[in-house]
C-alpha cells in the first residue's frame, strides 16, 4: 500500500482523533449500558423492554416533528460559516436557541393533548395514557437541548460532545434504574423524561463554554435567519420522521404479530447491533459532516474525504461487528439475560445490515453537505417504503427475526441507491483500497453468518473467532500504515513495532 502523503496523513489523523474521542465516550457508555440493560432486563423482562421501545419510538417521532429539523440545519449553517466570524455564528445560534424553545413547548403541549389517542394507537388500550403524558416533558427538553447541541457540533467541539454522551449515559444508569426499581413499568416514562432533562442540562453547560459575542437582531433579520433554518430544516424533519416512523412501524408490526415479548427481543437486538458501530456513525455526524460541508464545492476533495472516512470506518467497525455476530448468544446474555436468547438470530441479521450501513453512510453525507433537499427527501421516502415493506412481508413468516432481515435488505438496496446518487453529484467512486476492503469484509461477514446456519455451533463459533482475530490484526496493520506512530495512544505503540505491524 502506498504510504499516505503528509496531507492525507493529517486527514486520517483527524478522522481517527474524532472517532476515538467519541469512541472513548462510547466505551464508557458501553460499561454503563451493560449495567443498565442488565438491570432493566431483570426488572422488566422482555415485555417491559418492549414497552420501553415503543415509548422511545413515541419520543423520537414527536421530537423529530416538533423540532422541524432546525437543529440539523443549524449544524449545517454554523459549519458553513467561517469559524472566525463569531458574530455571524452568534446570529444563527441566537435564533436557533429561541426557536428551539418555542418548538419544544409546542411539541410538548400537542403530545399532552393527544396522549390518549397516541396510547390507544400504540398499545391498543388506554392504560399507558399517563405514561405518554409524562413523555411530553421529555419532548420539550430534548428539542431545547438540540438547539444548544447544534452549536457544539457545528463548531466541531468533539470533546464536549463526548462528555455530553458520558453524562447522559451515567444519568440513565444512576437515576433511571432506581426509578424503575421503585415504580416498575410505570416508571419507564419518568426515567425517559428524566434522561431528556439531563441531556438539556448537559447541552446548556457545555454550550455556554463556547464564547460568542452578544448580538441584537432586528425582527426582520431574525425572521430571515429563521426562514433559512426552516427551509432545510423541514427536509431534515421529514427525513427524521420517515426514519423514526419506520422504526415505530416495525415495532408495531412485531408487537401486533408476536406480542410485546417479541418487540422486547427486537429492541434488545437492535440496541446491541448498533452499540459498537454507533460510535463510528456518531463520529461521522459530529465531525465528518461539518468538515465535508466546508469543502462540498470541491468535488475532488469531497470524494477524497468520503473515501478516507469509509476506509477508517470499515477498519474500525469490521472486527467488532464480526465478533458480535460470532458471540451473539454470549453478548445477549451479558447485556440482558437468558430470557433474551430468542433475539440472537435478529442480532446476527442486524450485524450484517450494520456492516453495509458503515459502508453507505459516508457517501450519504455528500447529499447532506450539498443541501440537495429533494434528492435527500425522496431517497428517505424510498428507504422507508423498502424497510417497512420488507418487515411487513417477513415478520409474519419469520417472526421477529424477519425485522432483522428487513434491516439487512434495506441497506442492500440503500447502498446501491446512495452510490448512484453520489456518482451524479460529485462523480464519486470508491478507491481501489476501499473496493478491496469492502469486498473482503462483506464476504467474511457473510461467511461467518452462513457458518451458523450450516455448521454445528462449536465449529461456527471457532471459525467466527478465527476470522474476527485475523480481521482485527489486518485492521490494526492497515491503520498503522495510514497514521504516524505518534497518533496512536502510548499504550498500544509497542504493538506497532511487532513484526508484521
Amino acid at each position: 500500500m502506498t504510504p499516505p502523503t503528509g496531507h492525507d496523513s493529517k486527514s486520517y489523523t483527524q478522522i481517527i482523533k474524532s472517532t476515538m474521542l467519541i469512541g472513548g465516550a462510547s466505551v464508557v457508555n458501553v460499561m454503563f449500558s451493560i449495567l443498565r440493560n442488565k438491570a432493566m432486563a431483570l426488572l422488566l423482562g422482555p415485555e417491559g423492554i418492549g414497552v420501553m421501545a415503543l415509548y422511545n419510538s413515541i419520543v423520537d417521532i414527536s421530537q423529530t416533528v416538533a423540532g422541524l429539523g432546525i437543529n440539523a440545519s443549524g449544524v449545517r449553517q454554523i459549519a458553513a460559516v467561517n469559524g472566525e466570524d463569531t458574530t455571524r455564528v452568534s446570529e444563527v445560534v441566537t435564533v436557533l436557541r429561541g426557536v428551539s424553545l418555542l418548538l419544544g413547548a409546542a411539541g410538548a403541549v400537542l403530545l399532552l393533548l393527544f396522549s390518549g389517542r397516541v396510547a390507544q394507537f400504540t398499545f391498543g388500550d388506554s392504560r399507558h395514557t399517563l405514561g405518554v403524558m409524562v413523555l411530553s416533558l421529555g419532548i420539550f427538553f430534548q428539542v431545547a437541548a438540540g438547539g444548544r447541541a447544534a452549536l457544539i457540533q457545528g463548531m466541531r467541539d468533539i470533546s464536549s460532545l463526548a462528555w455530553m454522551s458520558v453524562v447522559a449515559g451515567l444519568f440513565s444508569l444512576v437515576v433511571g434504574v432506581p426509578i424503575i426499581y421503585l415504580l416498575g413499568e410505570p416508571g419507564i416514562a419518568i426515567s425517559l423524561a428524566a434522561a431528556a432533562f439531563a441531556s438539556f442540562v448537559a447541552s446548556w453547560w457545555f454550550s455556554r463554554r463556547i464564547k460568542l459575542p452578544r448580538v441584537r437582531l432586528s425582527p426582520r433579520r431574525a425572521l430571515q435567519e429563521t426562514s433559512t433554518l426552516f427551509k432545510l430544516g423541514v427536509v431534515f424533519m421529514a427525513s427524521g420522521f420517515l426514519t423514526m416512523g419506520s422504526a415505530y412501524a416495525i415495532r408495531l408490526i412485531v408487537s401486533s404479530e408476536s406480542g410485546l415479548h417479541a418487540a422486547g427481543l427486537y429492541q434488545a437486538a437492535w440496541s446491541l447491533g448498533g452499540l459498537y458501530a454507533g460510535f463510528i456513525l456518531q463520529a461521522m455526524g459530529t465531525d465528518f459532516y461539518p468538515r465535508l460541508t466546508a469543502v462540498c464545492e470541491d468535488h475532488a476533495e469531497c470524494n477524497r474525504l468520503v473515501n478516507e472516512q469509509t476506509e477508517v470506518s470499515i477498519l474500525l467497525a469490521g472486527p467488532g461487528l464480526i465478533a458480535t455476530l460470532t458471540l451473539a448468544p454470549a453478548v445477549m446474555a451479558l447485556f440482558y439475560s437468558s430470557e433474551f436468547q430468542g433475539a440472537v438470530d435478529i442480532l446476527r441479521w442486524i450485524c450484517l445490515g450494520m456492516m453495509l450501513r458503515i459502508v453507505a453512510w459516508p457517501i450519504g453525507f455528500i447529499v447532506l453537505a450539498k443541501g440537495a433537499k429533494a434528492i435527500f427527501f425522496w431517497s428517505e421516502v424510498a428507504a422507508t417504503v423498502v424497510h417497512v415493506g420488507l418487515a411487513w412481508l417477513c415478520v409474519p413468516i419469520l417472526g421477529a427475526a424477519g425485522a432483522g432481515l428487513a434491516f439487512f435488505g434495506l441497506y442492500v438496496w440503500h447502498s446501491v441507491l446512495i452510490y448512484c446518487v453520489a456518482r451524479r453529484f460529485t462523480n464519486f467512486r470508491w478507491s481501489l483500497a476501499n473496493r478491496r476492503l469492502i469486498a473482503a469484509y462483506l464476504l467474511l461477514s457473510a461467511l461467518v453468518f452462513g457458518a451458523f446456519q450450516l455448521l454445528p455451533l462449536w465449529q461456527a463459533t471457532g471459525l467466527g473467532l478465527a476470522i474476527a482475530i485475523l480481521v482485527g490484526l489486518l485492521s490494526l496493520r492497515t491503520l498503522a500504515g495510514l497514521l504516524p506512530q505518534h497518533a496512536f495512544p502510548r499504550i498500544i505503540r509497542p504493538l506497532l513495532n511487532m513484526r508484521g505491524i
Side-chain angles (χ1 to χ4, degrees):
M1 182 176 185
T2 304
T5 65
H7 179 71
D8 290 341
S9 178
K10 183 179 180 181
S11 181
Y12 278 117
T13 302
Q14 175 61 37
I15 294 170
I16 291 290
K17 181 181 178 181
S18 61
T19 305
M20 288 299 101
L21 278 170
I22 298 298
S26 294
V27 169
V28 176
N29 279 335
V30 164
M31 297 167 60
F32 293 153
S33 294
I34 293 174
L35 299 174
R36 183 176 64 249
N37 291 344
K38 178 68 74 174
M40 295 293 190
L42 295 175
L43 293 172
L44 298 173
E47 185 170 329
I49 296 296
V51 172
M52 179 178 285
L54 291 171
Y55 274 155
N56 270 318
S57 290
I58 292 171
V59 171
D60 289 340
I61 293 175
S62 301
Q63 172 199 350
T64 299
V65 174
L68 291 177
I70 65 164
N71 299 333
S73 63
V75 172
R76 188 181 187 281
Q77 287 290 97
I78 294 168
V81 174
N82 187 330
E84 296 179 358
D85 190 355
T86 54
T87 300
R88 180 75 184 90
V89 171
S90 188
E91 291 177 349
V92 176
V93 171
T94 299
V95 172
L96 183 61
R97 287 176 177 173
V99 173
S100 65
L101 287 172
L102 292 175
L103 292 177
V109 170
L110 286 173
L111 183 59
L112 192 63
L113 291 175
F114 291 97
S115 56
R117 295 183 182 181
V118 172
Q120 182 69 38
F121 179 76
T122 304
F123 298 98
D125 56 50
S126 58
R127 289 190 305 113
H128 297 87
T129 299
L130 182 60
V132 176
M133 294 174 70
V134 172
L135 293 179
S136 63
L137 289 172
I139 302 305
F140 171 75
F141 288 123
Q142 286 206 18
V143 174
R148 293 181 174 274
L151 168 63
I152 302 172
Q153 185 176 347
M155 298 294 285
R156 294 173 56 201
D157 186 356
I158 310 302
S159 176
S160 291
L161 287 169
W163 275 109
M164 284 170 56
S165 175
V166 170
V167 169
L170 176 62
F171 192 87
S172 295
L173 174 64
V174 300
V175 175
V177 172
I179 288 174
I180 293 177
Y181 175 76
L182 293 173
L183 301 178
E185 186 179 300
I188 294 175
I190 298 174
S191 70
L192 293 176
F197 174 72
S199 294
F200 172 74
V201 172
S203 66
W204 169 80
W205 175 262
F206 286 102
S207 66
R208 67 193 289 269
R209 296 166 56 182
I210 299 177
K211 302 302 181 183
L212 294 173
R214 292 183 177 273
V215 294
R216 281 192 172 185
L217 297 177
S218 66
R220 181 180 179 182
R221 184 75 186 95
L223 186 61
Q224 288 176 340
E225 205 60 64
T226 302
S227 176
T228 302
L229 289 172
F230 279 145
K231 283 178 181 177
L232 185 57
V234 169
V235 179
F236 279 118
M237 181 273 289
S239 167
F241 176 78
L242 290 169
T243 301
M244 302 302 178
S246 65
Y248 179 53
I250 288 165
R251 285 171 174 81
L252 288 180
I253 291 170
V254 172
S255 62
S256 64
E257 287 287 337
S258 307
L260 285 173
H261 181 278
L265 296 181
Y266 174 73
Q267 176 61 27
W270 176 259
S271 298
L272 292 181
L275 194 63
Y276 182 77
F279 80 89
I280 297 169
L281 299 175
Q282 187 180 354
M284 288 189 207
T286 53
D287 181 62
F288 173 61
Y289 172 38
R291 285 202 301 136
L292 194 66
T293 299
V295 300
C296 65
E297 298 306 320
D298 184 344
H299 290 180
E301 181 70 4
C302 182
N303 292 342
R304 184 183 67 82
L305 286 179
V306 171
N307 266 305
E308 289 175 356
Q309 181 68 53
T310 302
E311 185 176 6
V312 171
S313 298
I314 294 172
L315 291 170
L316 290 174
L321 287 173
I322 292 174
T324 303
L325 198 158
T326 301
L327 300 173
V331 171
M332 193 61 66
L334 174 65
F335 279 78
Y336 289 91
S337 70
S338 58
E339 290 184 84
F340 289 81
Q341 286 304 302
V344 167
D345 286 340
I346 312 172
L347 176 57
R348 288 189 173 126
W349 278 115
I350 289 175
C351 284
L352 285 182
M354 283 293 174
M355 190 70 79
L356 288 171
R357 196 179 201 182
I358 289 290
V359 172
W361 265 46
I363 308 172
F365 279 105
I366 292 176
V367 181
L368 288 177
K370 287 285 188 180
K373 297 185 284 290
I375 297 290
F376 179 64
F377 173 74
W378 287 111
S379 65
E380 291 298 310
V381 170
T384 300
V385 171
V386 170
H387 196 187
V388 176
L390 285 174
W392 181 72
L393 291 172
C394 296
V395 170
I397 300 172
L398 301 174
L405 173 59
F407 177 73
F408 171 69
L410 162 67
Y411 273 97
V412 171
W413 178 87
H414 185 68
S415 299
V416 175
L417 173 69
I418 204 66
Y419 186 80
C420 293
V421 169
R423 285 288 298 271
R424 174 187 170 184
F425 272 106
T426 64
N427 197 30
F428 175 79
R429 286 179 174 81
W430 277 313
S431 64
L432 178 60
N434 274 340
R435 290 198 296 271
R436 291 173 175 171
L437 204 60
I438 292 167
Y441 278 64
L442 292 182
L443 285 173
L444 289 172
S445 299
L447 176 62
V448 174
F449 182 88
F452 282 98
Q453 310 304 313
L454 302 173
L455 299 177
L457 178 63
W458 70 271
Q459 291 181 0
T461 302
L463 176 64
L465 287 175
I467 291 175
I469 292 169
L470 289 173
V471 165
L473 292 174
L474 171 65
S475 294
L476 179 59
R477 178 180 180 179
T478 306
L479 286 170
L482 296 176
L483 302 175
Q485 192 173 104
H486 65 77
F488 289 88
R490 290 180 181 274
I491 194 170
I492 69 169
R493 288 179 192 173
L495 293 175
L496 305 180
N497 295 320
M498 292 170 56
R499 185 176 181 180
I501 299 183

